[in-house]
Amino acid sequence: MESAKDYHTAQALLEWQIELGATDAIGDVPVDRYALPDTAPKAKIPAHRQAAPEKPAQVDPVAVAKSAAKGAGSLDQLRAVMDAFEHCELKRGARQLVFADGTPGARVMIVGEAPGRDEDREGKPFVGRAGQLLDRMLAAIDLDRTQNVYITNVLPWRPPQNRDPKPEEIGMMKPFLERHVTLAKPDVLVVMGNISCQAVLGKRGITRLRGQWDQAMDLPVIPMFHPAYLLRQPQMKRQAWADLLDLKAHLKGNR
Ligand code: URA
């Protein structure tokens, strides 16, 4: 039968023949019923009786991030769950996840903003010009990422055209940052720039906040100018130097 209409017409004809006393269906040509498809034609269900199509379930990316981050028991696992997280748009435009660099377990953990072009290429935070300045700043107070500093960013994917991350992007990645800090076990957080202050301290205004010790994620936190800002405004390096000395004193237990 080709259509539902043919089916209903044929059924009506059959019922009429049965009423007339027909008991066997015999055609002119034998039918091999084993060779017939075994699908019965489906009766058409009126639209008002059909089940409503299922709506795709709404996903809360922050809840997904929280649960994924909580399940990570090591830095390697954290990297894996972040790499598998599909709810942040930034991932689509980035080449790869930029997780961390330096020495896990170091007393100092630096939190930058987001990878730029060089970091996106290499898969490591702070490897471009700003990163080279950061390394010189750290060296000035005897710190070195290969020995006693651990570095990550608020966002692990490069934003397109290096635009500022959106508040919802920061919010959805924060559970991963919190878990990152817990697993890396630093003594001190250094938050560099406004985006990092926003993510870690919930405050903006780096010019006012820099050098002011604060507390977040159960740790002492010192906000500092971002090295990319210092490249553009070298006259601000004096304040950055003061903050570095303050950090050094803190690490020696002198403040
Ligand atoms: N700026 C950042 O905040 N992080 C990087 O990794 C590179 C530049």
Side-chain angles (χ1 to χ4, degrees):
M1 306 262 168
E2 297 277 313
S3 69
K5 187 158 177 255
D6 288 343
Y7 168 77
H8 290 295
T9 309
Q11 190 182 34
L13 284 171
L14 182 61
E15 280 166 6
W16 180 69
Q17 287 174 351
I18 291 168
E19 257 177 51
L20 289 181
T23 53
D24 292 295
I26 300 170
D28 295 335
V29 183
V31 177
D32 178 1
R33 300 205 177 271
Y34 291 104
L36 294 176
D38 60 1
T39 50
K42 287 200 181 109
K44 207 171 175 187
I45 301 171
H48 70 277
R49 294 183 59 193
Q50 286 176 15
E54 264 183 42
K55 284 192 193 144
Q58 287 286 322
V59 176
D60 174 0
V62 179
V64 175
K66 276 186 185 162
S67 137
K70 200 170 154 198
S74 67
L75 291 170
D76 282 344
Q77 284 176 12
L78 184 66
R79 179 198 292 261
V81 295
M82 286 172 73
D83 213 6
F85 185 70
E86 296 295 343
H87 302 284
C88 184
E89 275 301 303
L90 297 178
K91 184 177 183 182
R92 318 260 168 273
R95 284 187 196 207
Q96 57 184 318
L97 179 93
V98 175
F99 181 67
D101 194 25
T103 311
R107 293 185 67 200
V108 177
M109 180 166 178
I110 292 179
V111 181
E113 298 185 344
R117 190 194 53 187
D118 297 317
E119 291 75 21
D120 184 49
R121 280 210 186 120
E122 286 200 32
K124 284 184 187 172
F126 283 104
V127 292
R129 279 187 68 222
Q132 287 155 21
L133 175 57
L134 174 63
D135 284 341
R136 292 199 296 278
M137 290 163 67
L138 294 173
I141 53 164
D142 304 319
L143 293 176
D144 179 337
R145 69 170 91 187
T146 66
Q147 288 171 30
N148 46 22
V149 178
Y150 186 63
I151 306 178
T152 190
N153 283 312
V154 173
L155 276 306
W157 295 289
R158 180 192 184 192
Q161 276 86 45
N162 297 341
R163 68 154 168 77
D164 275 356
K166 298 177 188 165
E168 61 268 28
E169 291 163 346
I170 296 174
M172 85 173 71
M173 298 313 291
K174 189 168 170 181
F176 293 114
L177 178 63
E178 287 171 331
R179 189 75 186 138
H180 206 154
V181 171
T182 303
L183 293 168
K185 298 193 186 76
D187 289 345
V188 173
L189 287 182
V190 179
V191 291
M192 297 197 127
N194 262 324
I195 302 291
S196 315
C197 281
Q198 177 71 58
V200 174
L201 300 171
K203 299 174 191 169
R204 287 181 88 96
I206 189 65
T207 311
R208 189 173 34 88
L209 295 173
R210 59 141 281 274
Q212 308 288 321
W213 285 90
D214 209 323
Q215 189 81 15
M217 302 183 186
D218 295 327
L219 289 171
V221 180
I222 182 161
M224 282 193 199
F225 282 136
H226 194 287
Y229 173 73
L230 295 174
L231 286 173
R232 296 192 302 273
Q233 307 285 341
Q235 74 279 12
M236 296 301 190
K237 283 184 183 168
R238 233 158 61 97
Q239 278 111 310
W241 176 236
D243 299 342
L244 286 168
L245 290 179
D246 205 353
L247 172 63
K248 186 177 181 182
H250 179 97
L251 292 171
K252 283 199 171 153
N254 297 337
R255 84 168 295 290

